[in-house]
Amino acid sequence: MAQIKVLCITEDPDRPTTAMFVGLQSAGVDVTVVCPAGADSRAVLAAAGVKLLDLVLGGLRDRAGTRLLRDELIRGRYDILHVFSNRPLESGIAAVRGLPVKLIAYRGIVGNVSFFSPISWLRFLNPRIDRIICVCNAIRDYFLTMRPAFLRMPAQRPVTIYKGHSLDWYTAAPADLSPLGIPAGAFVAVCVANYRPRKGIEVLVDALAELPHDWPVHLLLVGQMDAPRLQARIAASPVRERIHVAGHRRDAPALIAACNVFVLPSVKREGLARSLIEAMAYAVAPVVTDCGGSPELVIDGESGIVVPIRDAVAIARALSRLYETPALREKLGTAARARIGTHFRIERTIEQTLALYRELVG
């Protein structure tokens, strides 16, 4: 088979995506990547022989950028354009018009696409897209159950390929939590996320207040959590002195590794949260809601605990079980790490992506 040429465009070249590009290049794919000029991953990609292209795309209205993209697709004789974010997808759809280039989109969250939304037709509902790689089955299922049914996309268009990881990436030593005001020996539940209403952080704050107040259980919130709505909820909590807001931290994995339990209380649209995968890789027992892709990562009672959405009492009950039963906490944490190591491997992501490329080009 002739070598497949792929142009990949990403605005967020995280470690799994970067490793996938490198793996595809090693597997014989001719990969060129468009990513931000200041991305840390550029050095890794260049060292692996992956070609880099500087091209800034501002969406469909960026006619100059779209024209440059189209010129590159023609000049480079690419087989596939693989786009990982929204604005470049708009440009990509316009750029491939009339060209024999297969177009692959990436979708990382559930929902927020509608047949009645014009912008959805400029992006994921556009029939020019050949495949949509969904990061979990929940996203694929959403696309295939949209209403009205007669407008639904062909069943083969959305495909699930989990974003793979490697346990070797997660070696940070547990951080010292005392500078955050958390006393030694405390039982710590952590949530790492940037605040949005759909993340359900307020429900988690309420859950902490449901626990016996004499238990040394603390809540650590990591990420952009400065929303007035959340601050007011914390201020009103009877256990507010045991809620610690750390803000954005580059050492988030080390903070997770130092905690006893990881909680992801999302209420809608959750994909495959990177922070949840990091917690599982560090063998931190997870508590998640039955939302989006989280139950695909966490098997209830085997590699964590799954609770209903918007249920502070259920989260508190799960925390109580893990606080009172250290053996269960250790068992679930160990199984969570093993699940990432066996079912969400970066090698599997590379294999499935390569197979998709070959299917489209062949």
Side-chain angles (χ1 to χ4, degrees):
M1 178 182 290
Q3 188 177 36
I4 300 173
K5 291 197 69 175
V6 183
L7 179 61
C8 300
I9 304 177
T10 174
E11 295 178 321
D12 181 24
D14 59 11
R15 190 166 191 174
T17 304
T18 301
M20 185 190 72
F21 293 152
V22 172
L24 290 169
Q25 179 78 18
S26 299
V29 179
D30 186 347
V31 180
T32 300
V33 173
V34 175
C35 66
D40 294 337
S41 61
R42 288 175 70 95
V44 176
L45 293 171
V50 177
K51 294 185 288 293
L52 296 166
L53 176 66
D54 291 320
L55 181 62
V56 179
L57 296 170
L60 187 60
R61 296 181 181 178
D62 182 5
R63 295 182 179 180
T66 300
R67 186 165 55 250
L68 289 173
L69 174 58
R70 182 178 177 85
D71 291 344
E72 172 64 19
L73 292 170
I74 295 172
R75 183 202 62 78
R77 301 176 65 87
Y78 292 94
D79 301 296
I80 295 171
L81 175 62
H82 191 165
V83 184
F84 289 79
S85 49
N86 289 340
R87 288 187 301 172
L89 179 58
E90 295 177 19
S91 295
I93 290 170
V96 301
R97 186 174 295 124
L99 299 181
V101 178
K102 301 298 182 181
L103 178 58
I104 300 175
Y106 167 88
R107 187 65 175 170
I109 61 172
V110 179
N112 208 32
V113 176
S114 169
F115 291 125
F116 305 104
S117 166
I119 198 165
S120 292
W121 288 101
L122 294 175
R123 295 176 179 174
F124 294 95
L125 297 182
N126 195 291
R128 181 56 182 85
I129 297 174
D130 294 282
R131 294 290 186 275
I132 302 173
I133 292 181
C134 306
V135 78
C136 59
N137 285 323
I139 299 172
R140 181 177 184 273
D141 293 343
Y142 174 84
F143 281 128
L144 296 181
T145 56
M146 291 176 64
R147 294 184 178 277
F150 72 89
L151 286 175
R152 287 176 191 160
M153 63 182 63
Q156 73 272 15
R157 187 177 298 163
V159 297
T160 300
I161 299 180
Y162 291 122
K163 182 178 283 191
H165 292 249
S166 170
L167 293 180
D168 293 338
W169 299 345
Y170 303 103
T171 58
D176 179 9
L177 300 182
S178 59
L180 297 173
I182 299 175
F187 181 94
V188 186
V190 62
C191 177
V192 178
N194 289 326
Y195 178 84
R196 296 178 181 86
R198 64 182 176 87
K199 288 293 183 179
I201 309 300
E202 292 94 346
V203 182
L204 177 55
V205 170
D206 292 346
L208 192 70
E210 294 289 335
L211 299 173
H213 290 186
D214 59 343
W215 284 7
V217 179
H218 289 245
L219 173 60
L220 175 60
L221 301 177
V222 182
Q224 296 176 0
M225 300 278 185
D226 54 355
R229 175 179 172 180
L230 176 61
Q231 291 176 340
R233 195 66 151 261
I234 293 173
S237 173
V239 291
R240 55 186 173 275
E241 72 282 355
R242 289 194 272 114
I243 301 174
H244 312 268
V245 181
H248 174 73
R249 297 282 296 246
R250 295 184 64 87
D251 62 342
L255 294 175
I256 292 173
C259 296
N260 303 98
V261 177
F262 178 90
V263 186
L264 188 65
S266 306
V267 298
K268 63 180 180 179
R269 293 178 53 197
E270 190 60 70
L272 212 67
R274 179 170 61 187
S275 58
L276 171 57
I277 292 174
E278 290 173 347
M280 295 173 71
Y282 279 108
V284 177
V287 175
V288 301
T289 51
D290 187 9
C291 177
S294 293
E296 296 174 45
L297 278 164
V298 178
I299 305 301
D300 185 36
E302 295 182 14
S303 54
I305 299 176
V306 180
V307 300
I309 63 171
R310 295 188 176 91
D311 193 336
V313 173
I315 293 177
R317 191 178 300 119
L319 291 175
S320 295
R321 288 180 61 196
L322 296 174
Y323 173 78
E324 295 182 305
T325 318
L328 174 63
R329 190 169 70 241
E330 181 178 356
K331 174 187 173 183
L332 296 179
T334 300
R337 176 177 168 83
R339 182 159 174 77
I340 298 301
T342 56
H343 291 82
F344 297 87
R345 298 179 301 111
I346 183 61
E347 294 84 2
R348 182 60 175 156
T349 303
I350 295 167
E351 292 168 3
Q352 291 181 311
T353 305
L354 178 58
L356 178 60
Y357 286 176
R358 287 173 172 165
E359 174 194 333
L360 289 175
V361 174

